[in-house]
Every structure is written in C-alpha cells, then in structure tokens.
Amino acid sequence: MADVGRAAGVSAQTVSRYFSGVGYVGGSTRERIAAAVAELGYRPNRAAGSLRARHTGIIGVLTVGELVHGSAQILTGLSQAARRLEQTLMIAQVELGYEAEGWQGEVRRAVDHFLSAPVDGIVVSTSISGVDEALDAARAHVPVVNLSERPRVLDGSVGTHSFTAGYEGTGYLIGQGHTAVIHLAGPATRHEAIERERGYREAMREFGLEALVVGEARDWSSATGFAAAQQVDVDRFTGVFASNDEIALGFLSAMERRGRKAPTDFSIVGVDDMPAAAYFSPPLTTMRLDFQGVGRTTLQTVYEMIRTGESTARRVIEPELRIRESVAAPRDRTR
Amino acid sequence: MADVGRAAGVSAQTVSRYFSGVGYVGGSTRERIAAAVAELGYRPNRAAGSLRARHTGIIGVLTVGELVHGSAQILTGLSQAARRLEQTLMIAQVELGYEAEGWQGEVRRAVDHFLSAPVDGIVVSTSISGVDEALDAARAHVPVVNLSERPRVLDGSVGTHSFTAGYEGTGYLIGQGHTAVIHLAGPATRHEAIERERGYREAMREFGLEALVVGEARDWSSATGFAAAQQVDVDRFTGVFASNDEIALGFLSAMERRGRKAPTDFSIVGVDDMPAAAYFSPPLTTMRLDFQGVGRTTLQTVYEMIRTGESTARRVIEPELRIRESVAAPRDRTR
DNA sequence: CAGTAACATGTGATCGGTAACTTGCCTAGG
DNA sequence: CCTAGGCAAGTTACCGATCACATGTTACTG
C-alpha cells in the first residue's frame, strides 16, 4: 500500500481507505489511486488486513462424508450466498467412519483448523448425532450455525423439515387409498432419516395403520433400497415411503426384477427430488427439498450472527410434494 | 505466543518452533509448552503466521456452475487430499451464464479474490473454453492446475480421458454388432462433451460407419436426453452413445414413453457411472470415470507445484467400461 | 585441551495492512 | 467574527506470528 500511495502521491492509510470504503477519499485522489493500482497490478493482502482488523471474512464449512446430491446442493447454495455477501468459504471434510470414536476427534480437528485460520463463523452442513457436542468449543469463539434437523441448541440453526416430508409423503399415499404402507429408512445415524421415519410413523398412527420399517440402512444409496426390496414380502404392502429418492430407485430396480412395477403393482414416494427422479421408470412422486435454498439461508444466517453477535431464531424450510407417476390407487386385492 | 511462552517460561520464538516443527525444542520444554497451550486454550493464528512466512497453506478451488455428480465428486477428492496434506481449500463458484461476456469477468473476479487471500495455488475444476485465458494473470503469481480436457498449457494439468470414453463406449456398441449408432452430445461449451463426441466420431469413422449426433444440449441434464429422444427417428438407429449417464436416463425415459425399451429395442451406453446408473431400468452400461481420483491427483499436483515451483507433466485418468444390462446385440430388423 | 558440530534458546526486525488519533481546510450557523 | 462540524488526509502504534542472526551449552574429535 505504501508503494501505491507513493505512486499516487498519498499515504498508505488513504489507499487503505480507498479499498475498505470507510472514511473519506477525495474524488481526484480516488482516481490517482485507481491509476496507481492498475499500473502496479496491486492487490491488497487479506491475510495482513485481517490481522489487525480482527475478522477475516472467512466462513468455515464442515461437511461430512462425500458430497452427494443433498450436501452438494447445499454447498452450492452456500457458495452462491457467500459470493453475494463477499464472504469466503473454507471447507473441511470429515470422513464418516463407523467407529464412533475416530470421527469425533476428526470434528474437533476440523474445528481447530477453522478457529486457527481464523474464521469468522462456522456452518456445519449435514449434521450427525454428536457433532453438536464436539462443536461447543467453537461456539465460545465464533458463531456456529448448525444445519440440522434436531440441533441441541435451537437458536441459530437452519433445517429442512424432514418430519413433514415423512408425514406428508406418507399421508399422500394414505390419501390415495393405501393402507399397507411400508417405510424404507435412511441411515439411523442421520437426523434427517430419523425425522422422516418419525413423520411416517405419525401419519400411520393417526390413521390407525400399522407401521412397518423394512431393512437396515448404512447409507442413503440405492443399494440400501435394493436390499430392502429383496427381503420384503410383496403381498404385505401396496404403498412405499422411501427416505430418499436414491433408496426409492434401488427399490424400484429390485422390484422390477421380481416382476413388479409401480404404479400398477405398488405405489412409492421418495424424498429430495433429485434431478434424475423425474426420469425414473416411472417418474417418481417425491417430497421436494430445496437444498440450495437451505444453503443460502444458512449462509445468510451465519452472516447475520457474525454482524450482530446475536443468534437468530431457528429457520426451517418446508418440503413440497411433487406429484409424478409412481403413485396410483391400490388395486383391490380381494378380487 | 508470548503469553504461552511466559506461562511455560520460554520465549515466543520457542513456542513458534514448537508448533512449526522447524528448529530444536528440548524435551522438557516441549512438555511445559504443551501444558501451557492446553491451559490457555491457545491456537496459533495462521493469518498472522502466513503474513511473515509468505505462504498460507490455502489452495483456491474454482468451480463452475452448480455442483453436479462429477464436480461434486471431484471436490470430494480434492478435499480428501487437502486434509491429508494439511492444506486448506478455499472455494469460489462462478455462475455459468450464457452471455459470453459476463462470466469471463466473473472468473477474473474470482481469481482476484484468490490472489488477494492470498492462496498458494489455484485449481480450476471443470474447465470451459476460455477460462484458460482468464487465468493467465494468476499464473504469474501462483501455480495453477487446470482440470481440463484440452488445456491451453499442457504442463501442470490433469484430466479424465473423455476422448477414450467416447471412443471405447462407441467401440463397445460396434463390437456388439451395432452399425447405426447415434450420439447424444453434452453441452458444446464443455470440453468433456467435445472430446466425447470426438471419440465417438473417431470410432465410427474407423469402422466406416456414419456418425449422427442428435439434439442440442445446453447442459448435462436428463431433460437434454429426453428432448433428443423425442425428435429422433426410432428406425434409424440401434445403438446410442450418450455423453453422460444423466442424458442417457432422460433418453431411456422418453423412449419408454414411445414404447421402446433397452436392451431389446435399442442399446445404450453412458459416461460417468453415477451411483444411480446401476439401478436404472435397465442398469446402465457406462464408461466409469473416477472423479474422486481425479480430484485427489489434482490436489497432489498443485501441491507439488507449490513445493517445487515446477510444473509437472500432464496427468490423465483413464475411463473404464462398466458392463451392465443396457446393451445387447441388435435385433435383425430385416426379418 | 582446544576446536567444532549439534543442540537449545533468545533478540530484534519485519510481513502488509488497519485502528485510533491528530491535523488542516472549508463551510455554515449563531 | 468565532466556532462547530463535515471533509480529506497523515502519523504512529499495533495485530500475531516468522525470519535471520546471535548466544550459550553440551558432546565429540583429534
């Protein structure tokens, strides 16, 4: 900055004002600085600036496991909003191991990494049981926004409404006349899966129907749905509520091998509305979740918390039923 | 650090040595520092450190458009490798507009943002025609690795081999007896799409067959494949090579509406091997691309370039045929 | 036993900015 | 005519680390 100042015939401090926009810089001075900047190819060094200013404009994003549809879309939304607010995203990924021990340490490491950067705030994308605890250390230093279905601290959290997705998805099936509706659960470690199942159970209970959860999921993959379809008794259900589209796809695939197609032999609804879902065979009726929107409001939320120092109230994004062709009224089996 | 040093009875410089690992720190001193660090909850400030040290350990990742299967997996690979090498990823996204003008400026803005951070290196994930030029400014300051099919500067670039994907995917169809093979192209702005088409054309040419590209793609989505299927003459082909799995899915879906199923009525092969592809109806034969691997070697490459200051030779990851059930020998139409 | 190398630590300058305060000018209001 | 306040800059200290260099100790070597 001193060099630029010299070239423009002003002090470094004035150049600093020119870039930061705080304080006054005269019109002609402004032009001379701009010229000097262009000529020298100068760019301010944010690492230096943030040292004295005590904020970096960096927001840490913690992701869990590989980026699949939902988390990738969330990240897309986060980075859209970050660009608009001129914040920088620093990402750290923790591998999702099944040995409970290792990954808590991983989270702590990632948090340390962030605080050391240092970041102005942290968002935890895709939350798992137990992250909350590992995050308390960070809360003391910077705002933390939890993108979670069941955050331990409600304020300053954002989430989709997975319970509603489960409740309405199942309700739609029931509304079409299905009474034997089974559920294909997602991984039990994930809050989204737990809430969707809870929504399913609640809907079934309200209508006096018996809930039945099929299979055991280790992940959100189609393999999970495929495996569930292989062990299910095809005569014991007419409706299926799947915890996500990918699982629904696996189920569809396995049922096709067993000679059953939706919506004639059974009906099915998923959750997510991944882009491919509209082209499944049949096109899948599903509870759409606006992941990009979730990402955007999440970033907006940390940003506000950073600026104001106060937690905002919990924000929730509601799912929306997308009717396609995988659901029909059940055939009368007694005939 | 001075505080920690005081608590441990040493100078700040020794604490610095303790953290950085360069220079000598005695055993008992090391323990006292560790104790002081734990007690004070101290964490070094990397923004400060990098100011003097003149490197930040941050690598900028430029992504284009929203994170879809390929780019999301690449990012996953990048961040896995980053964690292992103790590098930090800073991501910036540029929106993929169709007004040629705007996005060149966007790239320049993002590069500026990176250089200003400042980052030690830049990787450009998912390259488009013209990014190369916008990147030259950055090359003067830090190593830039281009994740591209046709980089303008070959050294220090990484890519998948899309040409091979096109060539072998088409070749497989031909090998199964198909002579009328059409191509569902990807967006013409993307190098991957161009190379896959080139591979397709080359294979057709070698066998003396006539190439036919159907439809016009604006993106990689299923809608593209769906639209192509609607305008194609079903009697003029038996084989289909799609530029990616998603497009193949759209095509499958539209053909099913027209009463044609693979592999009985036609055969089709895609590219990518997205997780869902194995559960399409029918399970899709496709050219698998190891995107996570691409991400990992890309990050490894920038890292080496940062350390050594020299460009590495171009690295290419080869696709691999995954045979499933969407391809069969063509039915004899004359009968 | 002097000389040298490895070990262990400290001192002062410095990286590139920003905060806080100060100075000087000009205009408007009482 | 004096003063308050907005405007336009400059001065100095400081953010939290690392670098280059200096110093003292111990161990080994010939």
Side-chain angles (χ1 to χ4, degrees), chain A residues 28-171:
Chain A
S28 70
T29 307
R30 192 177 294 278
E31 281 170 30
R32 289 200 326 279
I33 293 177
V37 165
E39 196 200 347
L40 299 175
Y42 171 79
R43 254 177 284 267
N45 181 318
R46 289 204 303 271
S50 56
L51 186 55
R52 177 73 227 239
R54 322 204 68 83
H55 59 261
T56 53
I58 303 176
I59 292 171
V61 177
L62 187 65
T63 67
V64 175
E66 56 181 78
L67 258 24
V68 293
H69 171 63
S71 46
Q73 287 299 99
I74 287 171
L75 187 52
T76 300
L78 287 169
S79 75
Q80 281 169 358
R83 194 172 33 145
R84 223 184 39 232
L85 299 171
E86 301 197 281
Q87 299 300 105
T88 295
L89 254 39
M90 178 170 281
I91 76 169
Q93 178 219 25
V94 329
E95 218 67 68
L96 176 72
Y98 284 98
E99 343 70 67
E101 206 179 313
W103 81 265
Q104 289 254 20
E106 284 265 299
V107 172
R108 227 174 294 272
R109 245 192 43 145
V111 166
D112 247 51
H113 189 78
F114 282 150
L115 291 179
S116 179
V119 300
D120 290 346
I122 295 178
V123 355
V124 184
S125 163
T126 329
S127 159
I128 318 198
S129 340
V131 187
D132 252 321
E133 284 69 16
L135 244 44
D136 284 342
R139 281 223 168 70
H141 298 92
V142 296
V144 174
V145 170
N146 208 340
L147 219 166
S148 167
E149 294 288 320
R150 323 166 91 191
R152 222 185 29 154
V153 2
L154 229 57
D155 278 353
S157 71
V158 176
T160 55
H161 214 165
S162 278
F163 176 84
T164 304
Y167 182 80
E168 290 187 358
T170 307

Side-chain angles (χ1 to χ4, degrees), chain B residues 270-285:
Chain B
V271 179
D272 274 5
D273 194 19
M274 59 189 275
Y279 301 92
F280 287 175
S281 168
L284 189 68
T285 292

Side-chain angles (χ1 to χ4, degrees), chain A residues 285-329:
Chain A
T285 291
T286 187
M287 297 301 298
R288 181 185 178 89
L289 255 22
D290 177 15
F291 289 113
Q292 284 193 22
V294 170
R296 281 192 299 267
T297 84
T298 301
L299 199 92
Q300 183 69 42
T301 303
V302 228
Y303 186 70
E304 284 169 22
M305 286 172 64
I306 291 170
R307 304 213 64 142
T308 65
E310 285 161 32
S311 286
T312 58
R314 175 166 173 80
R315 293 172 182 173
V316 172
I317 275 114
E318 295 293 337
E320 199 182 302
L321 179 64
R322 271 277 194 289
I323 296 176
R324 289 201 268 254
E325 302 164 28
S326 63
V327 176

Side-chain angles (χ1 to χ4, degrees), chain B residues 8-36:
Chain B
V10 295
S11 73
Q13 180 58 41
T14 303
V15 180
S16 171
R17 286 197 191 93
Y18 168 81
F19 277 106
S20 70
V22 305
Y24 305 101
V25 180
S28 69
T29 307
R30 191 176 297 276
E31 281 170 30
R32 287 197 330 275
I33 294 178

